[in-house]
Amino acid sequence: MDKIPFLTREKAEEIAARYPTPFHVYDEKGIRQKARDVREAFAWNPGFREYFAVKATPNPFLIKILQEYGCGTDCSSLSELMLSDAIGLKGHEIMFTSNDTPAEEFRYAAQIGAIINFDDISHIDFYEREVGPLPDTVCCRYNPGGIYELANGIMDNPGDSKYGMTHAQIIEAYRILKEKRVKHFGIHAFLCSNTVTNDYYPTLARTLFTLVAEISKELGIRFDFINLSGGVGIPYSPDQTPNDIMAIGQGVHRVYDEVLVPAGMDQIAIYTEMGRFMMGPHGGLVTRAIHAKHTYKNYIGVDACAANLMRPAMYGAYHHITVLGKEDAPLTEVYDVTGALCENNDKFAIDRKLPAIENGDLLFIHDTGAHGFSMGYNYNARLWSSEILLKEDGSFELIRRAQTPRDYFATFDCFDILDGMNWEAGR
């Protein structure tokens, strides 16, 4: 699969003339098409809803685009709940999936009517003690333990994960919820991360559908929804084949008809929370080459760093890089592409074959639309970049301004040092 940037060098330079590099840029056309595709893939299920994982890309401008296509949000913190409420999502359009949850976050989720997704059986008592009576609708998170393996050899290790309840715990949790007169039930599980296969959701669906049938029969309760969570991934590397969301939706439909329909459960809604799949390929980090260093290796230094995109430093994750304007140039050089942090893992690429790069060239780092900007941090007092929306008509809009030194120092307002700060330094 060719990795083709969704903007040209000319467009990137036009943006950079107004909003200096580095910046994250998002493709409105691609985001809208993805939302339409997901909606179509699950149109067979009348209650379907995609709950976009806010942690992937917590920008209200982008989430409001998804909202136009019926998407809700999946939140894991107080601030994410506040953001969802502020942009007009209401009640059960918001799912609260958290762990080690502070009482104030449960309280706020209850206040705005979000669906509560309990991560642990002990949270039921905690909620009642700290918040009050349980809501009418409650979801529980399942963890089957062990190794979760797909037929094509992809596997993950839920047994080593801090999330969710065991089989025995989740049955007991629903028993308790029923006794406490909860009326509506959901179930949720996240068992594999970033899978590039059309088999994951159908396999997970069979696991959850079978469990729901078991619990319903044993406890006499009716489930309203089953949340397949995230895990549907994207092809970060050009040699990977993208997931086919239509095939995925059809696969889940087959399992639904095989397991739930014969059990008289054809009213159950299917939910998803595909942050990475929804937004990942539709964002990129644009950065400018500012130094070339030749020692034991050849280095290209850029004006972005791991504070702008943590995944390569944190996970060793691959992100494809295109030198804008040199898309068809031969890959004659081998570079480490680095940032300015005082950490040797601050590298976007290691031993990467690229065209010859000159200072001033713009590099497009692909697939940063999810878990890109959102994982930013301020180590070395590096500042967060701006976020730009490239609109369908070719215009662009600033949807988050770059952080300034004044922003960074604002939380030190109890110190007199701020009064003597030179805010024009370096300009």
Side-chain angles (χ1 to χ4, degrees):
M1 181 191 72
D2 291 335
K3 287 281 190 180
I4 301 173
F6 53 77
L7 81 172
T8 63
R9 177 178 182 175
E10 290 73 23
K11 179 59 68 174
E13 288 286 13
E14 182 185 352
I15 297 172
R18 188 167 175 185
Y19 305 112
T21 57
F23 54 81
H24 284 270
V25 60
Y26 304 92
D27 177 25
E28 180 185 11
K29 181 178 179 180
I31 294 168
R32 289 186 179 278
Q33 185 59 54
K34 183 62 65 63
R36 287 192 289 265
D37 290 345
V38 168
R39 185 173 62 182
E40 181 182 355
F42 289 90
W44 55 268
N45 183 258
F48 172 76
R49 175 168 281 151
E50 157 64 18
Y51 284 85
F52 176 71
V54 178
K55 60 181 170 285
T57 320
N59 189 297
F61 288 85
L62 303 177
I63 297 172
K64 284 185 74 65
I65 293 175
L66 298 180
Q67 190 180 1
E68 294 179 31
Y69 297 89
C71 297
T73 56
D74 180 80
C75 302
S76 56
S77 71
L78 177 62
S79 296
E80 291 180 359
L81 288 167
M82 293 172 66
L83 186 156
S84 299
D85 182 56
I87 65 173
L89 290 166
K90 300 299 179 185
H92 286 189
E93 294 174 337
I94 304 170
M95 178 85 65
F96 184 45
T97 303
S98 61
N99 67 97
D100 290 332
T101 309
E104 66 171 332
E105 300 192 359
F106 274 138
R107 280 194 288 269
Y108 188 81
Q111 177 184 327
I112 64 174
I115 297 174
I116 304 294
N117 185 13
F118 284 126
D119 180 68
D120 186 65
I121 190 171
S122 68
H123 293 179
I124 299 172
D125 286 341
F126 179 83
Y127 184 97
E128 287 187 301
R129 185 173 64 252
E130 298 292 338
V131 181
L134 292 166
D136 286 346
T137 299
V138 173
C139 185
C140 292
R141 187 169 186 171
Y142 176 56
N143 184 333
I147 301 295
Y148 198 76
E149 186 171 3
L150 307 183
N152 58 13
I154 292 178
M155 64 178 64
D156 215 325
N157 185 8
D160 195 39
S161 167
K162 69 175 182 175
Y163 308 110
M165 306 181 203
T166 67
H167 183 272
Q169 287 173 339
I170 205 163
I171 292 177
E172 180 60 19
Y174 287 117
R175 189 188 311 276
I176 293 170
L177 294 171
K178 179 185 178 183
E179 291 173 354
K180 293 180 180 292
R181 302 188 184 282
V182 170
K183 296 182 177 65
H184 304 285
F185 302 91
I187 195 168
H188 168 285
F190 178 87
L191 303 183
C192 283
S193 179
N194 193 39
T195 61
V196 188
T197 168
N198 297 331
D199 297 332
Y200 171 58
Y201 257 8
T203 303
L204 172 61
R206 188 174 298 278
T207 297
L208 287 180
F209 295 175
T210 303
L211 178 59
V212 161
E214 174 193 349
I215 296 171
S216 297
K217 182 177 180 180
E218 180 172 340
L219 300 180
I221 63 174
R222 167 179 161 169
F223 280 81
D224 285 56
F225 64 86
I226 295 171
N227 189 336
L228 300 177
S229 183
V232 177
I234 63 174
Y236 285 100
S237 174
D239 60 359
Q240 294 178 304
T241 301
N243 285 320
D244 181 346
I245 195 61
M246 297 306 297
I248 291 170
Q250 291 165 6
V252 175
H253 193 182
R254 284 193 298 271
V255 181
Y256 192 97
D257 287 345
E258 290 173 14
V259 179
L260 293 181
V261 173
M265 299 181 183
D266 56 351
Q267 84 293 339
I268 294 180
I270 300 301
Y271 296 162
T272 58
E273 48 179 64
M274 298 182 289
R276 191 191 313 264
F277 183 76
M278 297 298 292
M279 202 73 73
H282 311 302
L285 176 60
V286 177
T287 182
R288 195 177 297 277
I290 57 175
H291 292 290
K293 180 176 180 178
H294 307 285
T295 53
Y296 304 104
K297 301 183 76 174
N298 293 322
Y299 298 96
I300 294 296
V302 297
D303 58 6
C305 63
N308 306 111
L309 178 64
M310 185 192 293
R311 295 187 74 256
M314 187 174 186
Y315 304 122
Y318 180 94
H319 279 264
H320 198 63
I321 296 176
T322 296
V323 183
L324 294 176
K326 298 182 178 180
E327 289 85 352
D328 298 323
L331 309 181
T332 58
E333 311 300 320
V334 177
Y335 296 117
D336 283 12
V337 180
T338 70
L341 293 188
C342 297
E343 293 289 345
N344 196 45
N345 67 352
D346 182 20
K347 298 178 180 179
F348 295 113
I350 298 174
D351 296 329
R352 185 74 59 87
K353 291 183 178 179
L354 290 166
I357 297 175
E358 303 172 24
N359 286 349
D361 280 348
L362 288 176
L363 279 62
F364 182 89
I365 303 178
H366 291 254
D367 301 314
T368 72
H371 309 289
F373 180 95
S374 65
M375 295 177 70
Y377 58 106
N378 283 129
Y379 182 60
N380 278 174
R382 294 293 172 183
L383 304 178
W384 298 333
S385 63
S386 60
E387 291 183 291
I388 310 295
L389 178 63
L390 180 62
K391 295 188 175 184
E392 290 185 292
D393 64 4
S395 63
F396 56 90
E397 179 182 4
L398 180 70
I399 58 174
R400 190 194 304 261
R401 65 170 175 80
Q403 191 180 29
T404 66
R406 189 182 294 274
D407 295 324
Y408 178 78
F409 289 108
T411 51
F412 295 114
D413 60 2
C414 54
F415 292 98
D416 293 338
I417 189 174
L418 294 181
D419 296 334
M421 193 70 67
N422 176 12
W423 299 113
E424 301 301 319
R427 295 188 179 181

